[in-house]
Amino acid sequence: MARFTLPRDLYHGEGALDALKTFKGKKAMVCSGGSSMRRNGFLDQIVNNLKEAGMEVELFEGIESDPSVDTVMRGADAMLKFEPDWIVAVGGGSPIDAAKAMWIKYEYPDITFDEMCKVFGIPELRKKAHFCAISSTSGTATEVTAFSIITDYEKGIKYPIADFEITPDVAIVDPALPEKMPKKLVAHTGMDALTHAIEAYVSTANCDYTDALAIYAIKMIQDDLIPSYGEDMAKRRSMHNAQCLAGMAFSNALLGIVHSMAHKTGAVFADYDAHIIHGAANAMYLPKVIAYNAKDETAKKRYGVIADEMKLGGKDDDEKVALLIAYLRKMNDDLNIPHCIGKYGKDSFPTETGFVPEEVFLERLPEIAKNAILDACTGSNPRIPTQEEMEKLLKCCYYDTEVDF
């Protein structure tokens, strides 16, 4: 028996934020990230809509990118003092993910972070509050998923919290919010969404329900992402729907080792001011992982189906896989994303997040590989890599070399 879980209600399209006026409750805690939601007027709109619904509102602002365990604990403390019956999280993946983890700690104050990270081990929620997620970016789809990613900066590791209990009760997908995204964020979040859809389709937990969502999302992203990056606002609005469909797929079909590797490389070089942005990591690793997974015949056939749906051509599955990889590499070029860690933050790909020195990467490689294998996303990958294979795969992702194992 399998399970397919989504939010009870999903409000989408122009004016979707007005759905907040219909909420029933006494108190709402609104969780947000940086200043963009306030600067663009969305935070005030959300607060005013909730007040119109008759609620007392308190804000928890300033949730950082890749939220920390400490931020989660501070937010939960604020909730315990305010006692909201609605938690409303707005922004990209970071504030929504953080608010999900805060929600767990609010409902169960004695739970530890390690206990939160037990896959599908969260106790029953909604005893104190319901949860609404409002996405401002077009990638993570955390507004519809059973996942949250929290970073332990002492260990330099991102931990996925996975449980259907943290699937939001309400998702709001309003196209006005992502129209304000900077181009780099459009690129990174878009490739995150495409990775979600592709990994969901080849996951060992795929099913008829997730396949339909994943394939349709892939075709939409193929049509919409590059024009969205080029400031086509109609395509940007369409991308906001596409990423949500991809999220519905992967929340139920799970993911694979592209995400395992991205989780375990994202913060591990933070002491060198080298933070590999999640969407960029996915974009760099996806072609390499496809080449690795395609050694599995079932996965190769499913990649072939993806290539067929994208109308890439190819006379057999081997050729279709090669064409898919080439297409994804071209997308990275068009989005100004490098092909490997070794180019990230240098040469023609300058970034404020820094460069990962080769000697540092090699020194930390065994531990990164070990942690990636242990990541919650690895279990549903078509191939389960050994320690040696994961190290070799990560080297391919550092040097942009061919995967031949």
Side-chain angles (χ1 to χ4, degrees), residues 294 297 300 304 314-325:
E297 287 298 319
K300 181 165 67 174
K315 64 181 183 296
D316 57 32
D317 286 330
D318 287 320
E319 189 172 325
K320 291 173 185 178
V321 169
L323 289 168
L324 176 59
I325 289 171

Side-chain angles (χ1 to χ4, degrees), residues 108 136 198 243 254:
Y108 294 94
S136 67
I198 291 175
Q243 65 86 31
L254 308 179

Side-chain angles (χ1 to χ4, degrees), residues 50-91:
L50 289 166
K51 287 182 176 179
E52 188 172 329
M55 291 196 221
E56 181 184 350
V57 181
E58 184 168 302
L59 298 176
F60 186 88
E61 298 183 78
I63 297 170
E64 73 275 31
S65 296
D66 296 324
S68 66
V69 177
D70 179 66
T71 295
V72 168
M73 299 306 166
R74 288 191 298 104
D77 284 343
M79 290 177 186
L80 285 164
K81 291 172 184 174
F82 183 61
E83 298 184 333
D85 45 22
W86 273 101
I87 298 165
V88 178
V90 58

Side-chain angles (χ1 to χ4, degrees), residues 16 70 106 173 222 275 284 290 311 343 356 364 372 375 377 388:
D70 179 66
Y106 169 51
V173 184
Q222 181 185 20
H275 168 218
M284 292 188 292
I290 290 174
K311 296 182 170 29
K343 290 289 181 68
V356 180
R364 300 183 184 181
D375 188 89
C377 294
E388 180 184 7

Side-chain angles (χ1 to χ4, degrees), residues 11-272:
Y11 296 95
H12 59 96
E14 187 175 352
L17 283 179
D18 287 345
L20 293 167
K21 298 177 183 179
T22 69
F23 282 24
K24 307 296 182 186
K26 295 180 179 179
K27 293 183 177 182
M29 173 79 80
V30 177
C31 302
S32 70
S35 61
S36 64
M37 291 297 97
R38 181 176 288 282
R39 185 174 62 250
N40 293 318
F42 296 122
L43 194 58
D44 286 342
Q45 187 179 351
I46 289 164
V47 170
N48 290 337
N49 285 350
L50 289 166
K51 287 182 176 179
E52 188 172 329
M55 291 196 221
E56 181 184 350
V57 181
E58 184 168 302
L59 298 176
F60 186 88
E61 298 183 78
I63 297 170
E64 73 275 31
S65 296
D66 296 324
S68 66
V69 177
D70 179 66
T71 295
V72 168
M73 299 306 166
R74 288 191 298 104
D77 284 343
M79 290 177 186
L80 285 164
K81 291 172 184 174
F82 183 61
E83 298 184 333
D85 45 22
W86 273 101
I87 298 165
V88 178
V90 58
S94 295
I96 298 175
D97 280 3
K100 286 179 177 180
M102 294 171 191
W103 182 25
I104 301 168
K105 185 71 173 175
Y106 169 51
E107 299 238 0
Y108 294 94
D110 294 332
I111 198 170
T112 66
F113 181 67
D114 285 344
E115 288 170 338
M116 290 186 197
C117 294
K118 292 177 182 176
V119 178
F120 294 99
I122 301 298
E124 182 181 353
L125 299 180
R126 297 166 181 82
K127 296 180 182 297
K128 294 182 179 179
H130 289 276
F131 194 97
C132 171
I134 306 168
S135 54
S136 67
T137 62
S138 300
T140 68
T142 190
E143 72 275 8
V144 293
T145 75
F147 294 90
S148 165
I149 308 299
I150 304 299
T151 302
D152 185 331
Y153 284 96
E154 289 185 6
K155 297 179 179 178
I157 295 176
K158 293 183 179 183
Y159 288 96
I161 299 172
D163 198 291
F164 289 121
E165 283 296 322
I166 61 171
T167 304
D169 298 287
V170 177
I172 295 179
V173 184
D174 191 318
L177 279 71
E179 287 185 1
K180 305 296 185 181
M181 285 193 296
K183 287 187 69 171
K184 186 169 77 170
L185 191 57
V186 172
H188 291 164
T189 57
M191 289 306 293
D192 189 22
L194 184 56
T195 304
H196 290 156
I198 291 175
E199 287 210 291
Y201 191 74
V202 301
S203 162
T204 58
N206 72 77
C207 68
D208 291 342
Y209 302 98
T210 60
D211 283 353
L213 291 162
I215 285 293
Y216 196 73
I218 290 166
K219 292 162 70 174
M220 287 182 71
I221 295 167
Q222 181 185 20
D223 290 341
D224 297 339
L225 178 52
I226 302 302
S228 173
Y229 182 70
E231 310 288 355
D232 182 327
M233 289 302 148
K235 293 295 188 181
R236 192 165 296 184
R237 289 191 290 273
S238 183
M239 266 300 300
H240 206 39
N241 289 335
Q243 65 86 31
C244 189
L245 295 173
M248 293 178 188
F250 92 77
S251 185
N252 292 278
L254 308 179
L255 292 164
I257 59 173
V258 177
H259 273 77
S260 302
M261 294 157 64
H263 292 157
K264 277 22 183 191
T265 54
V268 74
F269 305 108
D271 54 334
Y272 281 81

Side-chain angles (χ1 to χ4, degrees), residues 290-301:
I290 290 174
Y292 172 79
N293 283 343
K295 300 295 191 295
D296 175 89
E297 287 298 319
T298 300
K300 181 165 67 174
K301 288 183 184 302

